Amino acid sequence: MATPTPLVFAYYVTGHGFGHATRVVEVARHLIDAGHLVHVVTAAPDYVFTSEIQSPNLFLRRVLLDCGAVQSDALTVDRLASLEKYSQTAVIPRESILASEVAWLKSIKADLVVSDVVPIACRAAADAGIRSVCITNFSWDFIYADYVMAAGHHHRSIILQIAEDYSHCEFLIRLPGFCPMPAFRDVVDVPLVVRRLHKSREEVRKELGVGDDVKLLIFNFGGQPAGWTLKEEYLPTGWKCLVCGASDDQELPPNFIKLPKEAYTPDVIAASDCMLGKIGYGTSSEAMAYKLPFIFVRRDYFNEEPFLRNIIEHYKGGVEMIRRDLLSGCWQPYIEHAISLKPCYNRDINGGEVAARILQDTAQGNTHTKYKACGARRLRDAIVLGYQLRGISERNANVPDWYVHAPFPLQEHEQSISNEEMFILCSCRHIPDFEVLHGDLQGLSDTASFLKALGELSAIDFERDNKDQLRERLAAARLFNWEEEIFVARAPGRLDVMGGIADYSGSLVLQMPIKEACHAAVQKNHPSKQKLWKHAQARHHSDSDKQTPILEIVSFGADLSNRGPTFDMDISDFMDGEQPISYEAARNYFSRDTSQRWAAYVAGAILVLMTELGVRFEDSISIVISSAVPEGKGVSSSAAVEVENHIVGAPCGVMDQMASACGENNKLLAMVCQPAEVLGLVDIPSHIKFWGIDSGLRHSVGGSDYGSVRIGTFMGRKMMKSMASNKVKENNSDEMGRNSTELLEAEASLAYLCNLPPHRYEGGYANKLPERITGEEFLTKYASHDDPVTVVNKDLTYAVKAPTAHPVYENSRVKAFKSLLTAAASDEQLSALGELMYQCHYSYSACGLGSVGTDRLVELVQMMRLSGTLYGAKITGGGSGGTVCVMGEKSVRSSEQIREIQQRYKSATGFMPYVFEGSSPGAGKFGYLKIRRRSSPKADLAAASAVLNGVHV
């Protein structure tokens, strides 16, 4: 690809890890081989580049222009610290950075700016009048967007600025294993960028002093973390471990070999038999290219990982290790599994050469894009996995099909069952593969699908089907003793019609159970009969004489949220001597590994039964969880799994769990949350219907905005109680009157904010509450906000007035809404109900819990009202995204308008919203099923048909 005229490339490298620098080396090498000049802007050590490129055409400039993800250890990302450091590195000094970079780019007369994947480099190039191209498999707007959910929306401007910087880039050279990156106008896909080999496998082993009969494991975590201990017994007999990045003073066992820092990793990988490490582009691409089995451990909060993990597993090259097995040394079963794999990545690995050719063509004035430059575009909201691009210039964002609402693994079978089969399954006690010994399906097609899928799991042939099954399906298939009884429970999500975040302030709430539900299959077995996964067996049964009850759980759809799909533990871990451990200790237990923290929702119920009811478990327990309630949509996916909050620790109220447990089909559950008084069920009038429309913006009650609003609410209550108490003390009771004194005394001991009538709030407190207050100022004056599930941060500032006002007025709105439902059907009734919903929605926004996506949906409903049959809409649940509840006439016209809103929202955002439509019974109404596999499954459907026809079988 040589050219007679040398070109000048300015190549910016992100400050996150060595993986980016090592792939830049490969692209830069090809550019320099073609006779061009490459100026690399990097914070990586010089040897990363100079060990591979010895040329006067390589120039290194040591500058840090971004920071990547800040890691508290090799496996954990500190989300807040990452955002704060990026702000210090690239936001605060932004103007001076741009000025210096523009001047530098002009001084070297750069023909093209290349970025992997430094955002501000693209803007600097634009300001300097130079074209720019990015090369990456992820972008920092996507990575950071999820951090904003935890750190607070006051950091959202960082995401918007990064995306706008990227939008100045002409196009993206996209690497395999890529994340969604809609900030880029166009993309060109290239093969894996992989560093070449310098030495043969034999040469490397000879230099290491390792014979051909020795198996080699390369331990690659980007630097040996402090506090990790490596022991001789971690490795199987006949193995040695090559440790990357060990400190000079670190003592290693005799079967561990310390590699020098400058060791050329591709050669070592190609000379090894297996790798143990964390997933990053460099390790993943080189493991795939050189067909090395890769045992990986998940990192917390790094959103690139699921996409790389999927490509590794697709080409049969990966085995996931649970973090506690890494730290405890239970390595052998994973190593044995890994070396049985046959990695089969068969695609090109010359991405460096291909990318260099594209960069040369672009610098010479050629184009690889479909669209002409159309100026900067801004992100307006977080939609896909907490982030997505709003369309402009009548062009939709390019959202991969991966992110549309997809059926969950054990629910997807519903579409393959014919209507006749579904009628048979839902109408009798005979289902394929299983006999129902207790309970009935109540006509629920999703339950029939779940049971059918369980039957398919029981029929998996591990010798024949192993290669073609998802690992969670294989794990579930190995979990049960299929000849024994299995218990099945079902619980739906819920649509928050009215009440929402006022639940923790004691409000009346109205909740509707939705059609989408979570199913759990549970089996108990004596420990001697418990089927254990190999890694669990190695951990739990190292002492063959010990028979300890084990809890094993499989969660389907785990990869949608980057969770580990399996979890196991000794049930005795919940005991401290003769007593159960504390809930705080349990929270710490589950927080050790973020990828398995989800298990607290399931396993936590075990500890609650032990603590509250004195239950002791002598049998092992196996559980399969499959949920069609999508996470992060504000429809209570967590409440569909559990009704306890002692261990999970999310600062939510009780309405979600009660609705999922006590709700009934096509009825609203009316409950006063003081703490959980069920008033009864409210019939939905026959002329009214409720829908839920997903905004696409991920919602989390664990996010800082929800927690901050809750803290502000409790601060306001504490302030008003203090005001009332002071009035009682300061005034003479005779002058005030006995009734006034009693009112103030009641308000001075106010247990629930919703017990304060709106007129009392307006008359005595509204004008005296501050809009905002710092945590430090509040704690100095009031000591505590008296909320057991949140903690005031003295360094933060909290809104007080709006969060305090919301539950006072919301309780009044919900009461009016409930009364209006029983009024005569009329346009006035529907309009009044809709007005109450709109008031609720904008009150959320005043608290800081709105979002652009949900506001847009509510606006679309209002636009439809001019000529339609939709009357009201509001954000639901914890706010800050999630789902909008819509109310309208139960008519064909309303359904058409809902579909029109879907299309308009897609046109505006690029995201097709999922619609929640329909209802189903709560867990209590459903009860439970007890099932057992039938001995002759082939005759089941015929037998069921015969039963329906009155024929005795």
Side-chain angles (χ1 to χ4, degrees):
M1 101 179 174
T3 176
T5 305
L7 300 168
V8 179
F9 294 88
Y11 210 139
Y12 288 81
V13 188
T14 185
H16 180 79
F18 282 4
H20 298 266
T22 56
R23 70 190 185 200
V24 167
V25 167
E26 186 64 14
V27 179
R29 180 176 68 83
H30 285 283
L31 290 171
I32 290 171
D33 286 349
H36 305 305
L37 283 68
V38 179
H39 295 257
V40 178
V41 183
T42 180
D46 288 359
Y47 74 80
V48 174
F49 302 92
T50 57
S51 62
E52 179 70 3
I53 304 174
Q54 295 87 37
S55 170
N57 286 357
L58 173 69
F59 304 88
L60 299 178
R61 177 169 171 250
R62 304 264 309 171
V63 178
L64 180 65
L65 297 179
D66 69 357
C67 62
V70 176
Q71 296 185 209
S72 54
D73 59 46
L75 296 174
T76 305
V77 171
D78 188 324
R79 294 172 289 179
L80 180 57
S82 298
L83 294 172
E84 290 176 342
K85 187 170 182 181
Y86 184 85
S87 180
Q88 295 166 3
T89 305
V91 176
I92 295 173
R94 179 178 174 83
E95 294 306 317
S96 62
I97 289 174
L98 284 172
S100 63
E101 293 309 303
V102 169
W104 177 75
L105 288 170
K106 290 180 177 179
S107 72
I108 65 170
K109 298 181 181 179
D111 294 294
L112 186 69
V113 170
V114 187
S115 180
D116 184 356
V117 58
V118 181
I120 203 169
C122 303
R123 177 57 186 268
D127 289 353
I130 303 169
R131 299 166 75 186
S132 65
V133 175
C134 285
I135 303 181
T136 188
N137 63 306
F138 74 85
S139 56
W140 287 112
D141 48 353
F142 177 77
I143 300 297
Y144 286 160
D146 195 47
Y147 300 177
V148 171
M149 292 300 298
H153 284 201
H154 53 287
H155 291 283
R156 184 182 292 179
S157 60
I158 292 176
I159 312 299
L160 303 180
Q161 188 63 70
I162 290 174
E164 186 171 11
D165 284 347
Y166 285 145
S167 72
H168 291 283
C169 164
E170 186 165 320
F171 65 94
L172 166 69
I173 297 177
R174 189 168 62 180
L175 303 176
F178 57 84
C179 306
M181 293 180 281
F184 297 98
R185 282 192 292 275
D186 204 359
V187 299
V188 177
D189 288 307
V190 299
L192 281 178
V193 175
V194 181
R195 289 180 290 175
R196 60 182 175 174
L197 298 180
H198 290 167
K199 299 175 182 177
S200 69
R201 174 183 174 93
E202 292 74 19
E203 289 175 310
V204 174
R205 283 177 165 256
K206 184 176 180 180
E207 290 179 1
L208 293 171
V210 176
D212 291 338
D213 59 332
V214 175
K215 296 288 187 181
L216 282 181
L217 173 73
I218 178 170
F219 187 82
N220 192 357
F221 283 89
Q224 174 67 10
W228 284 16
T229 301
L230 300 176
K231 298 181 180 180
E232 185 174 356
E233 59 266 27
Y234 288 4
L235 297 176
T237 302
W239 281 76
K240 287 185 180 292
C241 181
L242 307 176
V243 181
C244 298
S247 60
D248 294 335
D249 59 351
Q250 184 174 1
E251 295 286 338
L252 293 179
N255 53 349
F256 285 73
I257 301 172
K258 186 184 303 183
L259 290 174
K261 285 185 169 58
E262 64 275 9
Y264 190 61
T265 309
D267 285 348
V268 180
I269 285 177
S272 299
D273 299 283
C274 187
M275 178 161 61
L276 170 57
K278 62 184 180 182
I279 291 180
Y281 182 85
T283 51
S284 301
S285 61
E286 289 169 357
M288 287 190 291
Y290 301 119
K291 295 180 170 54
L292 184 72
F294 186 6
I295 303 170
F296 59 85
V297 182
R298 297 189 192 219
R299 282 184 287 178
D300 296 342
Y301 310 121
F302 199 73
N303 300 341
E304 171 196 24
E305 187 174 282
F307 305 90
L308 291 172
R309 187 179 70 247
N310 285 338
I311 191 172
I312 292 169
E313 293 181 336
H314 178 77
Y315 289 103
K316 316 300 182 186
V319 175
E320 179 176 357
M321 176 183 280
I322 298 171
R323 184 179 303 184
R324 68 178 184 272
D325 287 343
L326 168 72
L327 300 178
S328 65
C330 185
W331 295 7
Q332 183 163 336
Y334 297 97
I335 294 174
E336 291 174 351
H337 184 187
I339 61 175
S340 72
L341 299 176
K342 299 188 185 311
C344 59
Y345 190 80
N346 56 2
R347 312 294 291 275
D348 291 337
I349 58 173
N350 63 336
E353 179 185 358
V354 174
R357 188 181 304 119
I358 293 171
L359 294 175
Q360 176 182 284
D361 290 348
T362 303
Q364 291 172 335
N366 299 320
T367 181
H368 285 266
T369 60
K370 303 173 186 175
Y371 302 97
K372 295 181 179 179
C374 60
R377 302 186 298 187
R378 290 187 64 87
L379 286 180
R380 299 293 178 84
D381 201 9
I383 292 185
V384 173
L385 288 184
Y387 154 82
Q388 187 48 270
L389 185 69
R390 288 286 295 275
I392 67 163
S393 303
E394 300 181 353
R395 182 167 167 262
N396 293 340
N398 181 23
V399 185
D401 291 340
W402 194 321
Y403 292 98
V404 299
H405 184 86
F408 282 64
L410 283 187
Q411 308 296 331
E412 61 190 6
H413 303 276
E414 181 173 340
Q415 301 303 319
S416 65
I417 302 176
S418 69
N419 291 335
E420 179 183 0
E421 288 177 316
M422 188 61 69
F423 174 73
I424 294 172
L425 294 176
C426 296
S427 303
C428 70
R429 301 169 66 86
H430 295 270
I431 57 176
D433 298 322
F434 294 105
E435 180 183 3
V436 178
L437 304 175
H438 173 85
D440 75 72
L441 277 63
Q442 301 184 25
L444 295 166
S445 60
D446 61 341
T447 302
S449 297
F450 178 74
L451 296 180
K452 183 175 186 293
L454 281 181
E456 292 175 359
L457 289 179
S458 72
I460 287 179
D461 184 323
F462 291 100
E463 295 297 325
R464 185 192 67 214
D465 301 335
N466 185 59
K467 295 181 180 180
D468 301 321
Q469 296 289 340
L470 293 173
R471 56 196 171 119
E472 58 191 27
R473 288 179 60 82
L474 291 173
R478 296 179 187 271
L479 191 62
F480 292 133
N481 288 310
W482 293 104
E483 313 305 324
E484 304 295 332
E485 294 175 349
I486 297 173
F487 296 84
V488 174
R490 176 193 185 277
R494 67 94 187 95
L495 183 64
D496 168 34
V497 175
M498 289 291 287
I501 58 167
D503 63 340
Y504 55 70
S505 294
S507 178
L508 171 68
V509 297
L510 297 173
Q511 309 294 306
M512 183 184 82
I514 59 176
K515 179 180 65 177
E516 292 75 8
C518 173
H519 286 85
V522 182
Q523 186 179 71
K524 63 176 183 176
N525 284 294
H526 188 273
S528 63
K529 296 182 178 180
Q530 177 77 349
K531 291 185 176 181
L532 294 176
W533 303 305
K534 286 185 178 180
H535 67 271
Q537 188 175 37
R539 186 187 319 114
H540 298 294
H541 284 181
S542 56
D543 181 355
S544 59
D545 293 330
K546 182 181 179 182
Q547 293 187 346
T548 303
I550 308 296
L551 172 64
E552 291 183 294
I553 309 170
V554 176
S555 172
F556 279 83
D559 281 342
L560 298 178
S561 300
N562 196 23
R563 300 191 307 266
T566 65
F567 174 83
D568 62 278
M569 65 177 290
D570 280 2
I571 296 179
S572 61
D573 288 349
F574 278 149
M575 296 296 293
D576 181 8
E578 298 297 319
Q579 297 299 320
I581 63 174
S582 68
Y583 292 143
E584 181 180 1
R587 281 193 290 272
N588 293 334
Y589 179 93
F590 288 107
S591 66
R592 294 181 301 185
D593 183 351
T594 300
S595 71
Q596 296 210 312
R597 193 174 296 172
W598 62 268
Y601 286 93
V602 184
I606 303 292
L607 179 58
V608 171
L609 292 173
M610 296 168 69
T611 302
E612 306 299 332
L613 299 181
V615 178
R616 296 295 181 264
F617 294 89
E618 298 180 357
D619 288 326
S620 291
I621 302 173
S622 302
I623 303 175
V624 168
I625 299 290
S626 177
S627 182
V629 186
E631 298 176 35
K633 307 300 185 186
V635 290
S636 298
S637 59
S638 59
V641 177
E642 49 77 32
V643 293
E644 57 80 28
N645 191 38
H646 297 292
I647 296 167
V648 175
C652 61
V654 297
M655 72 173 191
D656 300 349
Q657 289 84 354
M658 293 298 289
S660 184
C662 303
E664 291 191 17
N665 189 28
N666 289 318
K667 298 179 186 292
L668 301 180
L669 181 73
M671 182 177 67
V672 176
C673 303
Q674 300 190 16
E677 180 188 353
V678 175
L679 298 185
L681 296 163
V682 179
D683 289 327
I684 299 174
S686 58
H687 65 290
I688 291 177
K689 187 171 181 177
F690 295 100
W691 295 262
I693 305 180
D694 168 28
S695 69
L697 174 59
R698 190 173 178 86
H699 148 86
S700 170
V701 296
S704 68
D705 289 339
Y706 177 92
S708 296
V709 169
R710 176 166 177 151
I711 289 171
T713 302
F714 279 83
M715 283 178 166
R717 188 190 67 161
K718 184 66 173 279
M719 291 177 183
M720 291 193 298
K721 289 172 66 175
S722 178
M723 292 178 201
S725 180
N726 289 337
K727 285 182 181 179
V728 172
K729 295 176 182 178
E730 292 170 1
N731 294 279
N732 184 288
S733 62
D734 291 338
E735 295 176 1
M736 296 172 61
R738 188 176 67 179
N739 291 338
S740 296
T741 302
E742 291 177 352
L743 282 173
L744 288 172
E745 287 176 342
E747 290 161 6
S749 59
L750 191 66
Y752 293 98
L753 196 52
C754 288
N755 290 341
L756 184 70
H759 73 274
R760 290 293 298 174
Y761 171 77
E762 285 289 346
Y765 305 103
N767 294 329
K768 299 175 183 177
L769 288 173
E771 294 287 342
R772 310 179 72 82
I773 192 172
T774 66
E776 184 174 24
E777 182 182 355
F778 176 84
L779 292 173
T780 299
K781 187 171 183 179
Y782 298 99
S784 171
H785 67 321
D786 299 334
D787 179 16
V789 300
T790 57
V791 177
V792 176
N793 186 330
K794 65 181 181 62
D795 297 324
L796 296 183
T797 298
Y798 297 92
V800 173
K801 190 170 184 178
T804 304
H806 175 80
V808 173
Y809 292 105
E810 181 69 0
N811 187 46
S812 180
R813 285 190 288 262
V814 182
K815 290 179 178 178
F817 194 95
K818 180 173 178 288
S819 297
L820 279 168
L821 286 174
T822 62
S826 66
D827 188 73
E828 289 76 13
Q829 178 210 29
L830 292 168
S831 296
L833 289 169
E835 177 61 26
L836 292 171
M837 296 179 75
Y838 289 133
Q839 289 178 17
C840 172
H841 177 80
Y842 291 111
S843 183
Y844 263 75
S845 297
C847 293
L849 293 176
S851 77
V852 176
T854 49
D855 285 348
R856 177 62 176 162
L857 286 171
V858 171
E859 290 168 5
L860 287 171
V861 173
Q862 291 173 344
M863 292 166 59
M864 293 291 177
R865 178 69 193 101
L866 298 176
S867 59
T869 54
L870 302 180
Y871 285 81
K874 61 176 280 289
I875 196 170
T876 63
S880 297
T883 295
V884 165
C885 176
V886 179
M887 184 274 301
E889 286 184 6
K890 188 175 183 180
S891 65
V892 173
R893 176 61 178 149
S894 293
S895 297
E896 291 172 347
Q897 289 187 310
I898 292 293
R899 287 193 291 273
E900 186 175 347
I901 288 172
Q902 281 182 288
Q903 293 299 327
R904 289 194 183 187
Y905 191 77
K906 180 182 178 182
S907 297
T909 67
F911 177 79
M912 173 61 83
Y914 179 79
V915 174
F916 297 94
E917 184 174 7
S919 182
S920 66
K925 192 70 173 179
F926 178 82
Y928 70 92
L929 303 177
K930 183 165 66 172
I931 62 174
R932 183 173 56 206
R933 190 165 70 172
R934 296 169 59 83
S935 57
S936 179
K938 292 183 179 179
D940 286 340
L941 194 59
S945 300
V947 169
L948 289 178
N949 290 308
V951 179
H952 178 71
V953 179

